[in-house]
């Protein structure tokens, strides 16, 4: 039976590391679900897990590129903090005096300022690493201290609140798209998945590449379609509490119909993660920039001799990482509906752990976007589950640290056995 399953996985050309991570998540989920009396796997908790994971998942996609090029970024948590504080000032104090409270311009400008500032900081650090040849560990360790101090300095440690109501929806806690739009999105994803499988098969055949048996294509497509539909069904199963619906009807001067229910659907922050994941996957696999990133990680000297400007590529990678930190700051501050100078504290460790657990090699050259996102979800599930069963925070850190070390060791063993090391 074991050999049959192995043959089935090999025929479908499934990523065994991805299957291992899915298995690890299922094991964590089952254990915590039993320990919490069935609470962990409820639609409400899974919905909250996606909200809590979103900002780290966005940054983890950028950290893949950073680590693949044999660098590290310890400053991203502090960048989230300073960007969040600046965005708080922009939308709560500066712009309302110019365009008035509630103007749609506030959200647009705030988002552009946040992403732009993150890219500027990332570019500055990338320039020091690429052109001044200062090790990334030192530059970003200094950045961790500098930008955390700057986050406090922006408002002298005062928390900025409340934020613009429209901006707050980007965090997902109060911004969802509803059941109908969620199923429409899922249907679009299913159609895109089927098209991608058909297109890839035809392309391989046209180039005389080996292809999977037709039944394997149908099986793989069925698995992916079932996954999309299943995730959507779980998210749409989380209903808006009755008291919240009643207050909404009361504010509108209406009486809520008896038996009326409504579900949240996908949070906007999750849609941002999906968009970032798709964009970063395309960049990694289909663009010259992505090929250069992995070429540099595989062999920096050979990449430079082949004509790749490795110094400028380093700057670009850190600009991208800074921009994604800006996106994460948008999600994190919007979810909390406030901007405090402690925003993003320890996020750098969570993001690095997510990328490594997701299969990104610290030696460089190897990493996947989907692996990093799944790694972020596994990390958050572990932390959230321990919190639900009453594990003390210090012991949580011990367990998370041990899991990180175990994940790296497993990755090393895997690469030795598969000949990747």
């Amino acid at each position: 039976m074991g050999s049959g399953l192995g043959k089935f996985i090999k025929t479908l050309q499934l990523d065994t590391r991805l299957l291992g991570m899915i298995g690890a998540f299922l094991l964590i989920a089952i254990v915590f679900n039993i320990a919490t009396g069935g609470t962990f796997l409820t639609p409400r908790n899974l919905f909250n897990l996606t909200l809590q994971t979103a900002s780290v998942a966005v940054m983890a996609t950028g950290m893949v590129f950073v680590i693949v090029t044999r660098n590290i970024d310890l400053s991203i948590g502090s960048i989230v903090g300073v960007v969040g504080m600046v965005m708080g000032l922009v939308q709560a104090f500066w712009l309302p005096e110019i365009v008035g409270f509630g103007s749609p311009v506030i959200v647009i400008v705030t988002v552009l300022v946040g992403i732009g500032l993150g890219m500027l900081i990332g570019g500055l650090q990338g320039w020091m690493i690429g052109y001044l040849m200062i090790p990334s560990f030192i530059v970003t360790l200094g950045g961790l201290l500098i930008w955390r101090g700057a986050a406090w300095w922006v408002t002298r440690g005062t928390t900025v609140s409340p934020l613009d109501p429209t901006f707050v929806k980007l965090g997902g806690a109060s911004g969802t798209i509803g059941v109908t739009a969620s199923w429409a999105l899922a249907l679009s994803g299913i159609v895109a998945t089927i098209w991608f499988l058909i297109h890839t098969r035809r392309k391989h055949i046209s180039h005389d590449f080996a292809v999977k048996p037709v039944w394997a294509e149908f099986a793989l497509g069925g698995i992916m379609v079932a996954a999309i539909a299943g995730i959507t069904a779980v998210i749409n199963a989380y209903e808006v509490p009755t008291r919240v619906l009643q207050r909404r009807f009361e504010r509108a001067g209406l009486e809520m119909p008896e038996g009326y229910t409504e579900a949240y659907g996908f949070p906007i922050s999750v849609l941002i993660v999906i968009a970032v994941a798709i964009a970063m996957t395309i960049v990694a696999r289909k663009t010259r920039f992505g090929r250069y990133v992995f070429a540099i990680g595989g062999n920096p000297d050979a990449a430079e001799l082949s004509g790749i400007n490795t110094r400028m590529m380093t700057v670009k990678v850190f600009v991208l990482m800074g921009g994604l930190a800006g996106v994460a700051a948008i999600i994190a501050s919007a979810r909390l509906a406030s901007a405090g100078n402690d925003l993003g504290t320890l996020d750098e460790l969570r993001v690095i752990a997510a990328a490594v657990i997701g299969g990104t090699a610290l030696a460089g050259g190897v990493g996947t976007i989907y692996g990093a996102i799944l790694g972020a979800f596994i990390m958050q599930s572990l932390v959230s589950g321990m919190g639900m069963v009453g594990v003390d925070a210090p012991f949580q850190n011990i367990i998370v640290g041990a899991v990180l070390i175990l994940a790296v060791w497993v990755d090393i063993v895997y690469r030795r056995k598969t000949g990747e090391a």
Side-chain angles (χ1 to χ4, degrees):
M1 181 176 178
S3 60
L5 179 60
K7 186 177 180 181
F8 178 76
I9 292 174
K10 186 175 181 180
T11 304
L12 264 60
Q13 298 178 14
L14 297 176
D15 185 346
T16 52
R17 184 181 283 108
L18 173 63
L19 294 177
M21 287 188 291
I22 293 175
F25 168 71
L26 292 176
L27 178 62
I28 291 171
I30 291 172
V31 170
F32 283 129
N33 196 57
I34 295 173
T36 59
T39 303
F40 187 84
L41 287 178
T42 58
R44 176 182 179 180
N45 188 57
L46 294 176
F47 179 91
N48 289 330
L49 273 178
T50 62
L51 295 182
Q52 295 162 359
T53 306
S55 60
V56 171
V58 166
M59 289 188 286
T61 64
M63 188 59 73
V64 170
F65 280 23
V66 172
I67 297 178
V68 161
T69 55
R70 304 190 180 189
N71 290 298
I72 201 71
D73 193 341
L74 301 174
S75 67
I76 51 176
S78 298
I79 294 175
V80 168
V82 70
V83 169
M85 294 301 288
V86 171
M87 288 193 300
L89 289 181
V90 167
Q91 63 185 291
F93 296 101
W94 298 344
L95 284 180
E97 295 182 359
I98 301 174
V99 299
F101 287 98
S103 172
V105 174
I106 293 177
V107 176
I108 297 172
V109 173
T110 300
V111 168
L112 292 176
V113 167
I115 297 175
L117 180 58
M119 294 174 69
L120 181 63
I121 294 174
L124 174 62
Q125 295 185 156
W127 174 77
M128 288 189 285
I129 295 165
Y131 285 91
L132 300 185
M133 306 301 289
I134 305 173
S136 60
F137 181 88
I138 299 300
V139 171
T140 58
L141 178 61
L144 182 152
L145 301 173
I146 292 169
W147 307 122
R148 182 57 63 192
W152 181 91
W153 179 79
V154 170
T155 62
R156 295 295 192 275
T158 304
T159 298
V160 180
S161 179
L163 302 183
D164 182 83
T166 304
F167 177 86
V168 168
K169 292 181 179 180
L170 298 177
S174 61
T176 55
I177 63 173
V179 172
T180 302
S182 295
W183 279 117
L185 180 66
L187 181 61
S188 300
I190 289 171
V191 172
T193 298
I194 295 173
W195 174 87
F196 175 77
L197 292 174
I198 295 173
H199 174 74
T200 301
R201 183 178 180 85
R202 287 177 175 174
K203 189 175 180 180
H204 284 181
I205 292 175
S206 67
H207 289 85
D208 294 326
F209 292 159
V211 295
K212 295 187 286 290
V214 175
W215 69 264
E217 296 281 10
F218 274 101
L220 182 60
I223 293 171
M224 297 173 73
V225 168
I228 294 172
I231 292 171
T232 305
V234 170
I235 293 296
N236 283 341
Y238 179 30
E239 296 184 348
V240 181
T242 303
R243 62 183 183 279
V244 174
L245 292 174
Q246 289 174 339
R247 286 198 295 267
R248 187 186 302 172
F249 275 92
E250 289 173 0
R251 285 195 297 269
L254 302 172
E255 184 176 349
M256 189 175 80
E258 186 176 352
Y260 178 82
T261 60
E262 184 179 319
Y264 285 105
F266 280 112
I268 293 176
S269 58
V270 173
L271 302 187
I272 295 174
V273 173
I274 294 173
V276 169
I278 293 173
M280 291 292 286
T281 300
I282 293 173
V283 169
R285 296 185 175 183
K286 302 295 183 180
T287 68
R288 180 184 298 176
F289 175 79
R291 290 192 293 271
Y292 284 0
V293 165
F294 283 87
I296 292 171
N299 192 324
D301 295 332
E304 190 166 5
L305 289 173
S306 67
I308 299 175
N309 188 340
T310 56
R311 294 186 176 186
M312 180 53 68
M313 282 296 298
T314 299
V315 175
K316 290 180 179 179
V317 167
F318 277 88
V319 167
L320 178 61
M321 183 71 257
L324 291 172
V327 175
I330 292 168
I331 295 173
S333 59
R335 181 170 68 89
L336 298 174
S338 64
N341 65 287
D342 62 342
L343 189 71
T345 300
L346 294 181
D347 272 4
E348 57 277 349
L349 302 182
R350 299 185 183 98
V351 170
I352 293 171
V356 172
I357 290 174
T360 305
L362 291 172
V366 178
T368 60
I369 302 302
Y370 63 80
I373 292 177
L374 186 53
F377 197 68
I378 290 173
M379 284 289 294
Q380 187 57 51
S381 299
L382 188 61
V383 173
S384 178
M386 287 189 293
M388 292 176 68
V389 298
V391 177
D392 294 335
F395 194 63
Q396 289 184 26
N397 293 334
I398 292 174
I399 294 177
V400 170
V403 168
L404 177 58
I405 295 172
L406 177 62
V408 173
W409 177 73
V410 170
D411 184 66
I412 292 172
V413 173
Y414 174 85
R415 293 184 195 285
R416 284 175 180 171
K417 288 187 176 181
T418 57
E420 296 181 20

